[in-house]
């Protein structure tokens, strides 16, 4: 949610504005409803607009904005609706300080009341606007800019990533608390952003800010200090992402590109981990993790569906496991001790609810492990252990390749922690990329989407390992087509959902020849007898075909992995339905890629 960019360096005027606008465009996937930027010189120049980034680009004056340092922002509305006034950056009374902010300032109202009582005038409804006014007050009392910024941050409660510029200062000041900020070290300047893709075109050298750290970014370098003001020596890391990975590469949408990247993503996820001769999985970075007495997997949205899949794998390996919605985990007070491993499954490594669950579990004595895609993310840094899924940048809001990579990573994790041995399992893991490619090459999903694009609703069902994939299929359809869809274990059909079945409600049934196939066929007959079209997604078309109206075939594999291949078919169906409906596929309404508020 929301995106921050910043730059300080040798670029001037048009170049600085271009850097900011380009960075904002690369953060559009995070979700936003307004955008703005500010450039610092002898004064502060601010331009901001509600709506798409194109509205901001059109509003930037033709004679450019002068300055060597600037900040930009894409806003996801929390306090106040999307308007020009509520868009970031926000300024102080004199317009000499500009601030952008991600997160929520929980004590903004008493701070605002305090400032208004002193005569400060506010132009927006946002919590963010207290920040420039607090900086202004500290400057008026004689503080230098850095001290004023520090004093202001000390007053804030909640989660935040804040960046500020001040007139007559070619510097960007930044701080974070439970909201991501990463610095980029370039040849002609320094960059700041919520996520690496914002500046990946300019540099792959990064520094990850920690909670409580402050950064001063100027053309001469970056200074990072802790809460006491002491300079912190931080490592510069190289991001293993090609700038081309963050582009569309000729595809109409990022989502379609990322669906087709899944074979490569899985190869990277597997690299160096399965041991074919021994029939084992070895994850070097987790060699010191003992076999847990129990596992709790916490996650949200798509990652929760991967967690459901992973929990079943752990249980079959003899390790008691539960998947829990991260937003409910602390509320439900799951008991933990030092024999509990709490696994946070989070694509971004910044999901607020998941981070809260991990912190709660760690505080109560559990060991924590992050399964994430982002090196240096909060989850990766704060957990006791981390397993990277290596999917590369995922720009589309609707997760595709990261979901598949999470499933594969959890399959390997369960096998490694249980010290399981199975050549058949490991060989099937190693063959997954080729199996995925064959699904992409031969899919009839577009034909199915064309036939059922005008359906009243869509149902997705499966049993066992296929049940989480059915849930995910429904979520993808909802996210990008805006059509009603529901996914659930097939046995639940007769406990209510059958009341919704008509000849305009197609049912997608994931059927695995080696897992509950007969029971699934019984469920298929239940809905077919009531007139619903049935689309079987299966590795057994010859046995299932005459019970279904259509078949989406998946190739033979280990029965635990059949749902992974079926998921790709369901991703394609959702994509082509949304495409036919003309939806904003990569940026669906009301949704954000990285949800950093609870």
């Amino acid at each position: 949610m929301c995106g921050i960019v910043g730059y300080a360096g040798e670029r001037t005027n048009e170049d600085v504005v271009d850097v900011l606008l380009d960075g904002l465009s690369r953060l559009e996937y995070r979700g936003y409803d307004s955008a703005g930027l500010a450039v610092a010189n002898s004064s502060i120049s601010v331009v901001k607009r509600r709506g798409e980034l194109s509205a901001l680009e059109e509003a930037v004056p033709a004679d450019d904005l002068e300055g060597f340092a600037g900040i930009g922002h894409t806003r996801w509305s929390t306090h106040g609706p999307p308007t020009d006034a509520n868009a970031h950056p926000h300024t102080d009374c004199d317009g000499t300080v500009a601030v952008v902010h991600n997160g929520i300032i929980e004590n903004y109202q008493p701070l605002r009341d305090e400032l208004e009582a002193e005569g400060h005038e506010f132009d927006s409804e946002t919590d963010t606007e207290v920040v420039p006014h607090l900086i202004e007050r500290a400057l008026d009392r004689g503080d230098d800019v850095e001290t004023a910024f520090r004093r202001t941050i000390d007053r804030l409660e909640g989660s935040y990533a804040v960046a500020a510029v001040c007139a007559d200062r070619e510097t960007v000041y930044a701080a974070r608390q439970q909201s991501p900020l990463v610095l980029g070290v370039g040849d002609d300047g320094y960059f700041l952003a919520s996520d690496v893709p914002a500046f990946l075109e300019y540099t792959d050298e990064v520094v990850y800010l920690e909670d409580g750290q402050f950064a001063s970014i100027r053309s001469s370098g970056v200074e990072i200090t802790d809460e006491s003001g002491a300079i912190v020596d931080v490592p510069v890391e190289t991001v293993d992402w090609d700038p081309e990975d963050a582009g569309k590469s000729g595809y109409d949408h990022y989502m379609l590109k990322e669906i087709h990247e899944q074979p490569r993503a899985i190869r990277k996820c597997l690299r160096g981990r399965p041991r074919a001769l021994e029939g084992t999985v070895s994850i070097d970075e987790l060699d010191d993790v003992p076999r847990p007495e129990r596992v709790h997997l916490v996650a949200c949205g798509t990652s929760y569906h991967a967690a459901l899949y992973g929990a079943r794998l752990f249980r079959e390996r003899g390790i008691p496991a539960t998947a829990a919605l991260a937003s409910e985990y602390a509320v439900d007070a799951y008991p933990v001790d030092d024999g509990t491993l709490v696994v946070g499954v989070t694509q971004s490594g910044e999901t607020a609810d998941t981070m809260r669950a991990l912190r709660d579990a760690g505080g109560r004595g559990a060991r924590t492990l992050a399964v994430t895609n982002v090196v240096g993310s909060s989850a990766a840094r704060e957990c006791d252990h981390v397993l990277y899924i290596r999917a590369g940048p995922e720009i589309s809001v609707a997760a595709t390749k990261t979901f598949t990579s999470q499933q594969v990573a959890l399959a390997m994790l369960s096998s490694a922690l249980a010290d399981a041995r199975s050549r058949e399992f490991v060989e099937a893991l190693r063959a997954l990329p080729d199996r995925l490619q064959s699904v992409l090459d031969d899919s009839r999903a577009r034909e199915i989407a064309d036939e059922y694009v005008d359906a009243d609703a869509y149902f997705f069902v499966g049993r066992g390992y296929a049940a989480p994939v059915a849930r995910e299929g429904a979520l993808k359809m909802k996210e990008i087509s805006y059509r009603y869809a529901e996914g659930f274990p097939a046995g639940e059909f007769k406990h209510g959902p059958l009341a919704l079945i008509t000849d305009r409600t197609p049912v997608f049934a994931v059927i695995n020849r080696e897992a509950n196939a007969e029971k699934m066929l019984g469920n298929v007959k239940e809905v077919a007898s009531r007139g619903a079209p049935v689309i079987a997604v299966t590795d057994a078309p010859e046995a299932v075909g005459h019970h279904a109206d259509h078949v989406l075939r998946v190739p033979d594999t280990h029965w635990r992995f059949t749902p992974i291949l079926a998921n790709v078919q369901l991703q394609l169906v959702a994509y082509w339905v949304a495409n036919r409906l003309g939806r904003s596929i990569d940026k669906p309404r009301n949704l954000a890629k990285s949800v950093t508020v609870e």
Side-chain angles (χ1 to χ4, degrees), residues 235-422:
V236 177
E237 302 181 31
T238 301
V239 177
D240 186 23
W241 288 355
D242 191 301
E244 285 296 314
D245 290 342
K248 291 183 182 176
S249 302
Y251 288 91
D252 289 339
H253 298 93
Y254 283 110
M255 182 180 178
L256 186 60
K257 172 185 177 251
E258 288 155 8
I259 289 172
H260 281 267
E261 285 178 337
Q262 288 178 113
R264 183 176 66 167
I266 298 308
R267 285 190 182 94
K268 292 173 68 176
C269 185
L270 293 171
R271 190 176 59 219
R273 291 165 172 171
R275 302 283 194 261
L277 292 178
E278 297 89 346
T280 62
V281 173
S282 178
I283 303 173
D284 293 342
E285 58 267 42
L286 301 182
D287 278 348
D288 60 339
V289 181
R291 179 186 175 111
E293 295 176 14
R294 70 196 62 82
V295 172
H296 295 168
L297 296 105
V298 294
C300 305
T302 287
S303 295
Y304 173 64
H305 299 150
L308 288 169
Y309 176 84
R312 181 174 289 271
L313 284 161
F314 275 104
R315 291 194 296 268
E316 287 202 354
R317 300 296 194 194
I319 300 175
T322 301
L325 288 166
S327 57
E328 295 293 314
Y329 184 75
V331 176
D332 288 344
Y334 284 75
V336 301
D337 56 28
D338 58 6
T340 307
L341 178 67
V342 178
V343 179
V345 187
T346 163
Q347 183 279 137
S348 67
E350 305 292 347
T351 309
D353 287 320
T354 305
M355 291 306 304
R356 180 189 176 196
L358 288 167
R359 289 164 182 150
D360 173 80
R364 293 192 286 128
R367 187 181 291 267
T368 57
L369 184 153
V371 176
T372 185
N373 192 38
V374 181
V375 176
S377 60
S378 294
R381 286 182 286 104
E382 293 185 27
C383 285
D384 299 312
H385 311 280
V386 59
L387 172 59
Y388 290 114
I389 66 172
R390 304 172 178 169
E394 186 176 69
I395 306 302
S396 179
V397 167
T400 52
K401 65 177 179 176
T402 54
F403 175 64
T404 307
S405 298
Q406 286 170 342
Q407 290 176 294
V408 171
L410 289 171
M412 290 191 291
L413 179 65
S414 63
S415 184
L417 292 184
D419 196 23
R421 293 178 178 271
S422 169

Side-chain angles (χ1 to χ4, degrees), residues 259 439-440 442-453 477 508 535 537 551-553 566-577 580:
I259 289 172
V439 173
L440 294 168
D442 301 329
S443 177
R444 295 180 53 243
R446 188 170 188 172
E447 298 172 35
I448 304 300
D450 287 343
E451 182 158 349
Y452 296 109
V453 67
M477 186 66 77
F508 291 82
I535 301 93
V537 188
V551 171
L552 289 172
R553 182 169 186 164
N567 169 65
V568 178
Q569 294 280 24
L570 299 182
Q571 290 173 348
L572 288 166
V573 170
Y575 173 82
W576 289 114
V577 168
R580 277 287 307 274

Side-chain angles (χ1 to χ4, degrees), residues 29 299-300 518 533:
Y29 68 91
C300 305
E518 290 186 7

Side-chain angles (χ1 to χ4, degrees), residues 24 46 74 147 171 557 565 571:
L24 292 177
V46 175
T74 49
T147 302
T171 304
T557 184
L565 303 179
Q571 290 173 348

